[in-house]
Amino acid sequence: PPDTAPPVYTIDPADLLVEVDAYRLRQVLFNLLNNAVKFSPGGAPVGLDVSADAANNLVHFTVWDQGIGIDAEQQRRLFLPFTQGDTGRARQYEGMGLGLAIVRHLVTLHGGTVTLQSEPGKGSRFTVNLPWRRAVPSTPVPCNGNGDGTKAS
């Protein structure tokens, strides 16, 4: 929407590398960010924070907003297919209620989890937790002039 501020994002460490299905991760983050914008009226801030948790071998992708929030009852069923938080006859928000079910499914296929923290009127934080291992720099193979990495005789 035109009145929406651009998302804020942080990545820590800045050179973080993660091995994932890039298309599927993009799908997950697009869905979560789209929901953050949709449920943050008046251009309220939304963002994405990415952080490595070396102690637990996880990388966390947290999509946050300062929108309408989600009450505890809605949170319990939010990841079920065809379920939406906005269920009344005078629904304000469009959608089929499949987005978060798909998010959870794709994250589970990656061996991860999705968590939600939210309070009505205070916004939401959806965190995707994926397995991660620190990339080890490759050791260069000494060149012997043969171009094949073998020792010269």
Side-chain angles (χ1 to χ4, degrees), residues 40-63:
S40 296
V46 301
L48 169 65
D49 298 326
V50 182
S51 61
D53 179 354
N56 293 304
N57 297 314
L58 293 170
V59 62
H60 307 289
F61 297 84
T62 300
V63 174

Side-chain angles (χ1 to χ4, degrees), residues 28-96:
V28 165
L29 295 177
F30 176 82
N31 188 297
L32 293 174
L33 285 163
N34 187 54
N35 282 351
V37 170
K38 180 168 47 171
F39 294 106
S40 296
V46 301
L48 169 65
D49 298 326
V50 182
S51 61
D53 179 354
N56 293 304
N57 297 314
L58 293 170
V59 62
H60 307 289
F61 297 84
T62 300
V63 174
W64 56 267
D65 65 60
Q66 295 177 3
I68 62 173
I70 305 163
D71 68 37
E73 176 59 34
Q74 291 171 334
Q75 288 182 41
R76 282 191 279 282
R77 50 182 218 282
L78 200 57
F79 289 96
L80 300 174
F82 302 107
T83 300
Q84 291 187 319
D86 184 23
T87 59
R89 284 184 173 215
R91 269 185 50 197
Q92 292 181 290
Y93 304 101
E94 293 185 23
M96 297 189 61

Side-chain angles (χ1 to χ4, degrees), residues 110-152:
H110 276 84
T113 60
V114 183
T115 60
L116 166 61
Q117 296 173 301
S118 187
E119 242 183 275
K122 295 189 178 180
S124 301
R125 296 178 65 83
F126 287 85
T127 301
V128 172
N129 308 289
L130 295 177
W132 174 70
R133 61 180 170 77
R134 185 174 297 275
V136 178
S138 60
T139 306
V141 176
C143 181
N144 64 5
N146 297 339
D148 62 3
T150 60
K151 289 186 178 181

